[in-house]
Amino acid sequence: MKSKNEIMAALARTADDRLLLAGLLDKAQTCQTRGYLTHTKFLDLNERALCTEAVRLSGAAGYAVFWGGYEEAERGIYLFYPDYLDEQAAVQAAPVALLRARKRKEDTLTHRDYLGALMGLQIDRSVVGDILVHEEGADILVLEDMADFILLHFAKAGRKQISLTKEPLFALRVAAAAEKEGTGSVASPRLDSVVALIFGLGRKQAQEKIEHGLVFVNHTPCLKPERPVAEGDRLTVRGLGRARIEAFGGVSRKGRLFVRFAKTG
């Protein structure tokens, strides 16, 4: 277990990192000393990875859970819960609210339309979690203490009129992502080779995306193109989608390794 100063020195690279980690560690300490549930704001993938490592180093992993309103959420909050709660109870008490935006049938609205309109309300991105677009509109996850403000002011997206209601979280509409099965071969199970194959990139393009922090392996950014990928690993490439490695198996006559995967996005 490391101290707050040691964790900050080990992990923080920027002023934003220091601010994020200081807030996270303060929330963990408050939970333990005062005995009530605490939480961060919504975290993106990079912030999640940084906070996950800080939670591990601080020894708080036993009373912390990452939760975004549903199991596969990309954005979520870190919850710290006291010893009279377990993880399930903490998740049930999480201050995450569901807002449902309904559009007219003839209107077409995208994730970008909804997010852009929300940011137009001059709220911070960190109070909004995942936005799940469906045929009737979108389900939007937000921090509970911002729900009333958004309900009052969010009436248009992409210049189209919408109606907004607050719904119980169990009513969340998580559309089953359309997965596309694929196969191919790579010279080796290196991350850059696998990313290039699955996402239709050149090897150099894949390396650049990895080195710029745009590629995540099991929700953690990986900056090493040579990192080996294993069966079951989940890959995310910002702007291109997600994939899951189903299996490696067999070698071609030219010595290339066959890989089977499922891709969304």
Side-chain angles (χ1 to χ4, degrees), residues 4-262:
K4 179 178 178 179
N5 287 338
E6 289 173 328
I7 294 170
M8 299 279 281
L11 300 180
R13 297 290 179 266
T14 67
D16 286 343
D17 287 351
R18 288 191 288 274
L19 189 63
L20 174 66
L21 292 174
L24 173 88
L25 296 169
D26 285 347
K27 297 289 186 184
Q29 184 178 27
T30 298
C31 171
Q32 288 294 285
T33 57
R34 299 190 181 180
Y36 59 80
L37 189 76
T38 61
H39 65 90
T40 67
K41 293 186 176 182
F42 282 104
L43 308 170
D44 63 25
L45 284 172
N46 282 305
E47 292 168 335
R48 174 182 177 178
L50 187 63
C51 289
T52 297
E53 182 62 10
V55 166
R56 184 187 70 82
L57 291 175
S58 70
Y63 58 95
V65 58
F66 181 83
W67 179 245
Y70 65 107
E71 287 296 335
E72 296 299 319
E74 182 171 300
R75 296 176 64 84
I77 63 177
Y78 251 112
L79 289 161
F80 299 98
Y81 51 92
D83 55 13
Y84 58 83
L85 296 177
D86 59 17
E87 183 175 308
Q88 184 177 2
V91 164
Q92 291 174 345
V96 176
L98 167 61
L99 302 181
R100 178 161 294 156
R102 293 179 174 86
K103 65 178 184 63
R104 294 177 299 185
K105 280 188 177 181
E106 62 269 25
D107 292 337
T108 299
L109 293 171
T110 66
H111 183 282
R112 180 175 292 183
D113 292 324
Y114 292 109
L115 180 58
L118 284 165
M119 296 302 96
L121 301 179
Q122 303 302 309
I123 60 177
D124 195 89
R125 181 66 178 96
S126 63
V127 305
V128 180
D130 284 1
I131 300 173
L132 305 173
V133 178
H134 49 73
E135 66 275 8
E136 293 182 10
D139 279 10
I140 304 167
L141 293 156
V142 302
L143 289 180
E144 181 68 54
D145 59 8
M146 287 299 296
D148 287 344
F149 175 86
I150 295 171
L151 278 168
L152 183 62
H153 296 285
F154 188 35
K156 286 186 177 181
R159 298 184 179 180
K160 305 294 185 181
Q161 203 74 29
I162 61 169
S163 62
L164 199 64
T165 57
K166 187 176 180 181
E167 305 290 339
L169 194 56
F170 66 75
L172 180 70
R173 299 179 59 172
V174 182
E179 286 192 339
K180 181 180 179 181
E181 298 284 340
T183 59
S185 65
V186 291
S188 74
R190 283 173 51 118
L191 180 59
D192 55 357
S193 295
V194 175
V195 165
L197 167 69
I198 295 175
F199 295 96
L201 302 173
R203 181 78 171 271
K204 185 176 181 181
Q205 287 177 300
Q207 290 174 348
E208 289 175 348
K209 286 188 178 295
I210 294 166
E211 290 166 354
H212 284 99
L214 300 178
V215 177
F216 298 78
V217 181
N218 300 324
H219 306 298
T220 300
C222 181
L223 303 178
K224 297 180 179 180
E226 70 276 11
R227 180 202 191 279
V229 175
E231 292 181 3
D233 279 349
R234 294 176 179 271
L235 310 179
T236 301
V237 180
R238 279 283 176 84
L240 295 181
R242 305 178 185 180
R244 183 180 63 256
I245 306 302
E246 299 288 348
F248 287 106
V251 178
S252 72
R253 292 180 180 178
K254 295 184 178 181
R256 294 177 64 83
L257 179 65
F258 290 113
V259 58
R260 178 165 54 87
F261 58 88

